């Protein structure tokens, strides 16, 4: 986790316009200096989520949700802390200085975004208003894409021209190295610099705050050089292994429903979003990998629908991508599309209800896998059936999670109609099968002390704006030795300090933490959702657990002391007395009188 300098965070804090950040995600109604909308954190019919013009905090009178721009991005848009800070810095044009990078300037993301925004405007203009764009435009119209749709998603057109974009960007005052760094132009070795995209329909890819960070471009004519889809090259903004097309539109819904749909092409994704299935992302060819899965896991998905094309390439991709989700314990469903019908075409021909029906009747991944692998084989021939089953058994055993493996093997036995014992279910409790991979279990993740203490701080942070008395309760009960995790204790101190100036200001708290470990703890703390209707109960309960843990440990210490050899009888009696006294003093949470 990068450590930002306090000065630069302070500068950012002053520049953030909360209304501007939130209105990218919510539609407000104005009355006087107050802006109101339906609360994104709870279901309601009349708006009780408000911000005051100029205030750094939002507040919901319905559910008590309260926070600043950072906490909104973290809880509603599900961005990690660092990403939230960085994106706000880009948006409000503050250069965030990192401690280790002092005097060592980072590439200017703001300048790159400006160049990309100019490029997007140009491409969009060229598609709609030029002779050259007509063929591409007709292609889109033929696919049932309307002018409104083109405008909504800023679809564009990169013509067959070596330097039209270069000339345009030059006229906008963009320097050449910015054009290169933004991936908009390329410089073949020994050749002349030229526009990166040529003769393609362009789809801007946006970050979570709506800024263009790259393009995905597809060909619309058979004879265009290169693959069906081409993306911007890797840049500091555009990380190919992580970028998911459509996520800027789908992020919130995906996090809310914990479900996503994965399709192949951009038009499929945009069509689904436009039709109300706004929890979709596009894989765009075969480049979909582990990092993409992680992006979705971070949003908390529990279920994924794979709606890739029915052709051989699409099915092979389904096999590979399905494995990535399944092994992470995600409920992976395979949507059966008809041959030559992608989701876009299906939606146009048969409407959204039909697509919903396809989602509802999707098959689970193992079922798909069995029939996919069996399709060129004759299952009546024992050796061929054996091959299919063994291949799947090997794949299942690589999934690392014992229960998942066990249940999947059982299911496979059922699908393949073979006895469970014949595919080795009885042996899978062999311990060597389950040596965890380093990435899957780290000590930190299973540290019960850490989980408990972060839980306590999370309730305190999220609840105390609604129940300010929580601060007093915390102070009356907690001392340093109640904390086992040092960064949690430090964060607690920072929270108390941050609260004195009114309510919590995450940026102020973040900037007061000058240890990467503490910043990481804060980020970890904010990434889990809590029930905002139960903050006070949750807080008291977590507090009680911390006190109990302390009490039990003290008892345990005395017990061990008693068993230690070398005490006189009197000392032992004394200890036994202490033990008895302590045993009857089960700790209660102290609620100070106001
Ligand atoms: Zn609310």
């Amino acid at each position: 986790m990068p450590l930002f300098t306090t000065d630069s965070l302070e500068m950012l804090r002053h520049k953030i316009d909360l209304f501007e950040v939130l209105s990218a995600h919510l539609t407000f109604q104005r009355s006087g200096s107050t802006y109101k909308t339906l609360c994104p954190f709870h279901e309601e019919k009349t708006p009780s989520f408000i911000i005051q013009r100029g205030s750094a905090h939002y507040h919901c009178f319905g559910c008590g949700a309260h926070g600043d721009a950072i906490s909104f991005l973290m809880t509603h848009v599900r961005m990690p802390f660092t990403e939230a800070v960085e994106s706000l810095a880009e948006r409000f044009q503050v250069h965030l200085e990192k401690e280790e990078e002092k005097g060592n300037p980072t590439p200017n993301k703001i300048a790159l975004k400006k160049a990309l925004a100019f490029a997007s405007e140009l491409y969009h203009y060229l598609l709609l208003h030029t002779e050259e764009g007509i063929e591409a435009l007709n292609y889109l119209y033929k696919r049932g894409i309307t002018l409104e749709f083109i405008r909504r998603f800023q679809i564009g057109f990169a013509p067959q021209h070596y330097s039209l974009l270069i000339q345009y960007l030059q006229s906008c005052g963009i320097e050449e190295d910015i054009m290169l760094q933004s991936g908009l132009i390329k410089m073949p070795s020994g050749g002349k610099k030229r526009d990166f995209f040529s003769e393609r329909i362009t789809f801007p890819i946006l970050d979570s705050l709506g800024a263009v960070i790259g393009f995905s471009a597809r060909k619309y004519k058979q004879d265009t050089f290169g693959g069906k889809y081409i993306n911007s090259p890797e840049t500091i903004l555009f990380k190919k292994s992580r970028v998911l097309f459509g996520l800027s539109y789908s992020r919130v819904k995906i996090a809310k429903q914990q479900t996503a749909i994965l399709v192949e092409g951009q038009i499929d994704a945009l069509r689904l979003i436009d039709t109300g299935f706004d929890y979709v992302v596009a894989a765009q060819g075969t480049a979909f990998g582990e990092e993409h899965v992680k992006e979705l896991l971070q949003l908390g998905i529990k279920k994924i629908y794979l709606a890739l094309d029915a052709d051989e390439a699409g099915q092979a991709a389904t096999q590979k991508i399905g494995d990535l989700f399944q092994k992470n314990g995600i409920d992976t469903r395979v949507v059966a599309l008809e041959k030559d019908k992608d989701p876009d075409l299906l939606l146009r021909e048969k409407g959204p209800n039909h697509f919903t029906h396809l989602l509802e009747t999707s098959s689970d991944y193992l079922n798909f896998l069995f029939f996919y692998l069996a399709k060129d084989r004759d299952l009546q021939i024992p050796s061929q059936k054996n091959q299919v089953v063994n291949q799947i058994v090997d794949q299942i055993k690589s999934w690392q999670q014992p229960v998942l493996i066990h249940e999947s093997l059982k299911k496979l036995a059922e699908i393949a109609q073979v006895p469970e014992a014949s595919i080795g279910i009885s042996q899978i409790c062999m311990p060597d099968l389950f040596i965890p991979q380093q990435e899957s279990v780290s000590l930190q993740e299973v540290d019960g002390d850490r989980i408990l203490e972060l839980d306590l701080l999370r309730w305190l942070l999220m609840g105390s704006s609604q129940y300010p008395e929580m601060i007093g309760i915390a102070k009356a009960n907690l001392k340093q030795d109640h904390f086992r995790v040092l960064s949690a204790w430090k964060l607690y101190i920072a929270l108390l300090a941050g609260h004195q100036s009114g309510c919590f200001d995450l940026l102020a708290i973040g900037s007061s933490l000058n240890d990467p470990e503490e910043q990481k703890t804060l980020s970890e703390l904010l990434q889990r959702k809590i029930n905002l209707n139960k903050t006070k109960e949750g807080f008291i309960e977590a507090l009680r657990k911390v006190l109990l843990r302390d009490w039990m440990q003290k008892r345990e210490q005395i017990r061990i002391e008693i068993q230690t050899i070398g005490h006189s009888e009197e000392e032992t009696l004394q200890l036994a007395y202490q033990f008895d006294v302590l045993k009857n003093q089960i700790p209660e949470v102290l609620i100070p009188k106001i």
Side-chain angles (χ1 to χ4, degrees), residues 38-44 48-49 59-65 532:
L38 292 175
C39 175
F41 299 105
H42 83 282
E43 298 286 331
E44 62 175 4
S48 45
F49 184 90
H59 188 78
C60 170
F61 288 101
C63 68
L532 287 166

Side-chain angles (χ1 to χ4, degrees), residues 151-206:
R151 291 207 168 114
R152 176 174 180 199
F153 297 109
Q154 286 290 302
I155 299 171
F157 165 66
Q160 191 180 25
H161 195 291
Y162 283 91
S163 61
L164 189 70
L165 181 64
I166 295 176
Q167 288 164 26
Y168 178 70
L169 291 177
Q170 269 166 354
S171 73
C172 298
I174 305 290
E175 285 165 23
E176 197 178 298
D177 65 322
I178 296 295
M179 297 183 205
L180 273 168
Q181 283 180 47
S182 59
L184 288 168
I185 68 170
K186 57 185 170 185
M187 187 96 83
S189 52
K192 249 179 88 184
K193 63 176 193 278
R194 51 174 296 176
D195 293 358
F196 185 84
F197 295 109
S198 164
E199 231 188 341
R200 280 171 184 272
I201 294 172
T202 59
F203 299 85
I205 298 178
L206 315 179

Side-chain angles (χ1 to χ4, degrees), residues 349-548:
E349 285 182 354
K350 301 189 172 170
N353 289 344
H354 179 71
F355 196 77
T356 303
H357 174 72
L358 287 180
L359 294 181
E360 283 166 1
T361 53
S362 58
S363 70
D364 78 52
Y365 176 65
L366 270 186
N367 214 47
F368 159 82
L369 193 60
F370 182 76
F371 291 104
Y372 173 68
L373 293 177
K375 73 180 174 359
D376 299 324
R377 291 176 169 124
D378 182 352
L379 296 180
Q380 299 305 319
I381 302 173
S383 64
Q384 296 204 10
K385 182 161 175 178
N386 188 45
Q387 284 168 10
V388 173
V389 173
N390 281 345
Q391 188 178 344
I392 301 178
V393 168
D394 287 346
Q395 187 178 337
I396 291 174
K397 285 186 176 173
S398 71
W399 288 345
Q400 307 289 332
Q401 302 186 36
V403 177
L404 182 66
I405 295 175
H406 185 260
E407 291 304 306
S408 302
L409 287 177
K410 261 170 73 179
K411 177 123 205 200
L412 174 63
E414 198 187 304
I415 297 169
Q417 295 178 314
V418 296
E420 291 184 4
S422 71
I423 55 173
I425 290 186
S426 54
Q427 302 125 44
I428 64 153
C429 291
M430 297 285 281
D432 62 339
L433 250 179
F434 303 126
I435 297 169
Q437 279 187 348
Q438 270 185 334
E439 51 170 273
S440 56
V441 179
S442 79
L443 267 179
Q444 212 166 53
E445 281 172 61
V446 292
D447 182 345
D449 287 332
R450 188 179 178 87
I451 291 171
L452 176 59
E453 287 168 31
L454 289 196
D455 201 38
L456 176 79
L457 297 180
R458 190 177 293 117
W459 290 114
L460 181 64
L461 181 67
M462 297 306 203
S464 59
S465 55
Q466 192 186 0
Y467 301 104
E469 66 269 27
M470 276 165 62
I471 296 289
I473 299 174
K475 281 182 180 165
N477 287 279
L478 291 169
K479 293 193 294 287
Q480 180 166 5
D481 48 344
H482 285 117
F483 287 86
R484 309 268 162 83
V485 180
L486 183 65
S487 59
W489 161 249
K490 292 208 169 148
L491 193 54
Y492 171 67
I493 294 297
L495 288 186
L496 290 188
H499 199 269
Q500 277 165 1
S501 53
C503 40
F504 286 130
D505 186 325
L506 272 187
L507 209 53
I509 293 165
S511 59
S512 74
L513 302 174
N514 38 24
D515 177 349
E517 180 55 31
E518 289 160 27
Q519 287 197 4
K520 189 169 151 262
T521 306
L522 175 64
S523 163
E524 205 179 318
L525 188 115
L526 285 159
Q527 271 167 38
R528 268 196 51 200
K529 262 196 150 176
I530 57 167
N531 183 347
L532 287 166
N533 294 321
K534 294 217 164 117
T535 45
K536 195 164 171 187
E537 294 96 312
F539 172 68
I540 305 259
E541 181 55 24
L543 189 52
R544 206 177 57 80
K545 283 186 187 156
V546 168
L547 299 180
L548 270 179

Side-chain angles (χ1 to χ4, degrees), residues 294-313:
K294 264 193 210 155
E295 285 289 300
L296 291 171
L297 287 177
Q298 270 190 358
L299 293 175
I301 62 157
K302 300 251 164 38
K303 189 192 256 188
I304 180 94
Y305 290 101
L306 305 178
L308 307 180
D309 294 354
D311 58 10
E312 180 49 36

